[in-house]
Amino acid sequence: MKTLLLTVLATLLSLAAFACPVCEKQQPKVLQGISHGAGPQSDWDYILVWATVVIVVACLFFSIKWLVRPGEESRDHIKRTVLEF
């Protein structure tokens, strides 16, 4: 657990090194020092990014949940044709 926390902390601390000084001046205050490039062109860009983040996090959550506990108990489930073949 300590290794995971240290890895996450080191990754977050190193994010400031990704943007060059020229790109840092072009970014909005929220993204300064984090992203590289011109930055968002409108408020719709923020909405699209956050919608994508929500979808990815939901997919990750349900993927892990269903990998850990699939929940199929019936003997006639389609997975049995593959597992017992």
Side-chain angles (χ1 to χ4, degrees), residues 5-75:
L5 290 175
L6 288 175
T7 304
V8 170
L9 181 64
T11 303
L12 291 175
L13 290 175
S14 69
L15 286 176
F18 287 150
C20 65
V22 174
C23 292
E24 191 171 325
K25 291 177 185 175
Q26 295 176 355
Q27 293 293 330
K29 191 167 192 130
V30 176
L31 298 174
Q32 282 183 347
I34 296 174
S35 64
H36 199 60
Q41 303 299 318
S42 70
D43 290 338
W44 284 105
D45 292 341
Y46 291 110
I47 294 170
L48 291 173
V49 168
W50 281 110
T52 304
V53 167
V54 168
I55 291 169
V56 168
V57 168
C59 289
L60 179 65
F61 170 76
F62 285 113
S63 296
I64 292 172
K65 176 184 172 188
W66 289 327
L67 279 172
V68 172
R69 290 185 172 236
E72 295 97 6
E73 300 296 330
S74 66
R75 299 307 269 155

